Amino acid sequence: QLQAFGGGLVQAGGSLRLSCAASGRTNRAYHMGWFRQAPGKERELVAAISWSGGIPTYADSVKGRFTISRDNAKNTMYLEMSSLKPEDMAVYYCAARSGNLPLNGEYTYWGQGTQVTVSS
């Protein structure tokens, strides 16, 4: 089970930190990712990190502004978001995928979303 939290309202240029806590099965053998979906748009991959914590990947739109990380000892993944823009406003979801599979691909397990609102 995955639970995302940390969303909220922030002004443009501000920062937020999202967290995703995994319970039940350990998340250590799973790649994990952050996705987002804005109203009227398709869900998109924001960032993903391999089961070992290496080889992160980012959407071009967030490179240099967002940082994904994970703490396997705490079964928690993070997304540090800075220099937020109005176009970053969306519901953010965390997800997991077997570590035996490539980092990119369809994710199997999903948490509930957390809303990020960026005011201009």
Side-chain angles (χ1 to χ4, degrees):
Q1 184 176 3
L2 301 174
Q3 184 175 6
F5 51 95
L9 172 64
V10 64
Q11 288 187 331
S15 300
L16 274 178
R17 185 197 202 198
L18 304 183
S19 299
C20 175
S23 59
R25 296 185 183 194
T26 175
N27 72 335
R28 299 176 188 179
Y30 292 84
H31 303 318
M32 298 189 75
W34 287 100
F35 293 76
R36 68 186 180 187
Q37 187 167 21
K41 295 187 177 181
E42 293 187 356
R43 186 172 60 197
E44 62 173 346
L45 175 67
V46 176
I49 188 167
S50 67
W51 66 270
S52 62
I55 324 176
T57 185
Y58 297 94
D60 289 342
S61 59
V62 306
K63 283 180 180 177
R65 300 188 298 119
F66 290 13
T67 301
I68 188 172
S69 62
R70 65 191 293 169
D71 184 339
N72 286 343
K74 296 181 179 180
N75 286 342
T76 303
M77 173 180 65
Y78 306 96
L79 185 69
E80 298 275 1
M81 305 185 294
S82 62
S83 302
L84 282 161
K85 304 175 181 180
E87 50 263 43
D88 294 318
M89 184 163 59
V91 177
Y92 283 70
Y93 300 89
C94 60
R97 169 179 169 84
S98 171
N100 292 325
L101 300 172
L103 181 59
N104 293 319
E106 187 172 346
Y107 276 64
T108 308
Y109 305 101
W110 292 85
Q112 91 293 355
T114 184
Q115 176 71 48
V116 172
T117 302
V118 183
S119 63
S120 57

